[in-house]
Amino acid sequence: MENLSRSSLKFFSDQQLCYADILTPSEVRARIEVAVLNFLRILTSPDPAISDLPLIKRTSSNSRVSHGLLTDLSWVFLSHSFCTRSLMRANAAKAFVRVWKVMEVCFQVLVQEKRVTQRELFYKLLCVSPDYFPSQLQVNRTIQDLVALLRCSRYSLAIMASSRGVVAGRLLLQEPNQEVVDCAECGSSGYAISGDLNMLDKLLMTTDARYIIVVEKHAIFQRLAEDRVFSQIPSILITAKGYPDIATRFLLHRMSRSFPELPILALVDWNPAGLAILCTFKFGSIGMGLEAYRYACNVKWLGLRGADLELIPEESLVQLKPRDLQIANSLMASEILPESHREELAIMIQSGKRAEIEALYFHGYEYLGKYIAKKIVQANYI
């Protein structure tokens, strides 16, 4: 699948799509060394000048949605439109220096054959360059700048993702040189997903499940795992405990490649935030820059849907908040959103209401499993 997604880029050459390579540590070090040598060459030339750093622009106006010719998958890509970091402009000078400082630390980590989280990277940089990295935000943005400059993935740069995600159900996992973990026996807490993407990429996975169910909320995940819903509905449960982190998206993407026959079904709140979470799993996100497509997979919207409101008492519906409307407007403006999802979103906005999964507890705490089974039959995923 990885080869397929890479080769499929050739079909979209007219859009000049950009993406990040997965490289070995020695290849990344070589790219860093070339970048440094080019910079020094410019500085020591007969007519020295400070060059700009040409980086791929990470904005919605520079995004494209590419539809696979051989699959029904769609991904978010960035096209070949540049922004720059420059020492010659006051508002970009610090960002220019940040790129080189993060590059330096990544090179050191690669030489030592270590890996660091974004948080660890922040504290390292805070100690050595406090004026340039006063908050985690500057580190996160600079990592994406470095990905755009070197055209390699963040975990090629030895940067691990922080992970909130857990998985449960009919899935056997084996880390290299470790014992097999049966995710069906991990209790309601599930199996904690590692932030080491390199390790996740090497996981051995086997399953007899028929569905992968993405659950928006940790509390709902715990209820389903405690009730062992995966025993009645042969499934794998996975949650990022809200907005999806990189590691959870990466593992879900890996499962979609390892088990391409399994439909991936999302159980989210019927509100703009729930739909935004579904779309992030489905298409990737612009914020991930050149890596967006590596974390996307074909997720179907199982529920809650507008048709399910008849199952929920009117008293359980909640007024949309200003933040909900802001998310809704952003989704409506996106070319990513399928027409069926756009129609659901329009109903949310028109009604001014939102419904949460917990409202189904009106029918009893055991009802969630029955609801999922019913929706699977209705959607003809059986």
Side-chain angles (χ1 to χ4, degrees), residues 268-271 304-306 309 344 347-348 351 353-355:
V268 298
D269 287 339
W270 191 73
N271 62 22
L304 293 174
R305 303 295 293 265
L309 296 185
E344 290 261 1
I347 295 172
M348 292 179 203
S351 68
K353 301 287 186 179
R354 50 183 285 173

Side-chain angles (χ1 to χ4, degrees), residues 137-167:
L137 181 62
Q138 282 78 26
V139 175
N140 297 349
R141 287 176 175 172
T142 306
I143 289 170
Q144 282 299 334
D145 281 348
L146 192 52
V147 167
L149 180 66
L150 299 177
R151 303 293 179 90
C152 66
S153 69
R154 67 177 57 218
Y155 77 87
S156 296
L157 289 165
I159 298 171
M160 293 192 299
S162 298
S163 176
R164 302 184 305 274
V166 289
V167 61

Side-chain angles (χ1 to χ4, degrees), residues 67-281:
H67 306 283
L69 297 181
L70 304 180
T71 73
D72 60 352
L73 294 177
S74 298
W75 296 291
V76 172
F77 281 91
L78 297 183
S79 61
H80 203 79
S81 179
F82 287 108
C83 63
T84 58
R85 302 286 182 265
S86 173
L87 276 175
M88 305 308 293
R89 298 199 312 272
N91 63 344
K94 278 195 171 183
F96 181 97
V97 176
R98 287 185 191 117
V99 173
W100 293 103
K101 287 186 174 294
V102 171
M103 190 188 300
E104 177 188 12
V105 175
C106 287
F107 188 87
Q108 293 169 350
V109 173
L110 287 165
V111 169
Q112 297 168 15
E113 298 183 345
K114 301 288 186 182
R115 292 193 173 273
V116 294
T117 64
Q118 289 188 174
R119 195 64 177 166
E120 290 171 327
L121 193 58
F122 164 61
Y123 279 108
K124 171 68 174 177
L125 292 163
L126 182 64
C127 292
V128 298
S129 306
D131 293 338
Y132 290 96
F133 298 95
S135 74
Q136 182 75 56
L137 181 62
Q138 282 78 26
V139 175
N140 297 349
R141 287 176 175 172
T142 306
I143 289 170
Q144 282 299 334
D145 281 348
L146 192 52
V147 167
L149 180 66
L150 299 177
R151 303 293 179 90
C152 66
S153 69
R154 67 177 57 218
Y155 77 87
S156 296
L157 289 165
I159 298 171
M160 293 192 299
S162 298
S163 176
R164 302 184 305 274
V166 289
V167 61
R170 300 167 83 129
L171 179 66
L172 299 179
L173 296 175
Q174 185 175 20
E175 299 178 17
N177 304 316
Q178 299 294 322
E179 294 184 356
V180 174
V181 175
D182 185 351
C183 294
E185 302 303 326
C186 291
S188 61
S189 297
Y191 171 84
I193 298 169
S194 169
D196 186 343
L197 303 188
N198 189 49
M199 188 279 289
L200 291 179
D201 198 40
K202 295 177 181 177
L203 272 178
L204 298 177
M205 302 187 291
T206 56
T207 185
D208 64 350
R210 294 177 59 189
Y211 312 98
I212 300 172
I213 301 176
V214 179
V215 184
E216 175 184 348
K217 296 179 174 178
H218 188 218
I220 300 297
F221 172 93
Q222 287 181 306
R223 167 59 57 193
L224 295 173
E226 184 177 310
D227 292 347
R228 297 184 68 85
V229 165
F230 46 77
S231 294
Q232 291 79 46
I233 305 169
S235 57
I236 300 167
L237 307 175
I238 186 169
T239 182
K241 302 179 183 178
Y243 193 83
D245 58 90
I246 295 170
T248 304
R249 288 155 63 181
F250 183 87
L251 181 60
L252 184 65
H253 181 78
R254 264 224 65 204
M255 286 195 289
S256 74
R257 299 201 325 257
S258 299
F259 316 122
E261 73 284 359
L262 300 187
I264 304 174
L265 313 173
L267 182 63
V268 298
D269 287 339
W270 191 73
N271 62 22
L275 182 54
I277 287 170
L278 184 154
C279 288
T280 301
F281 276 117

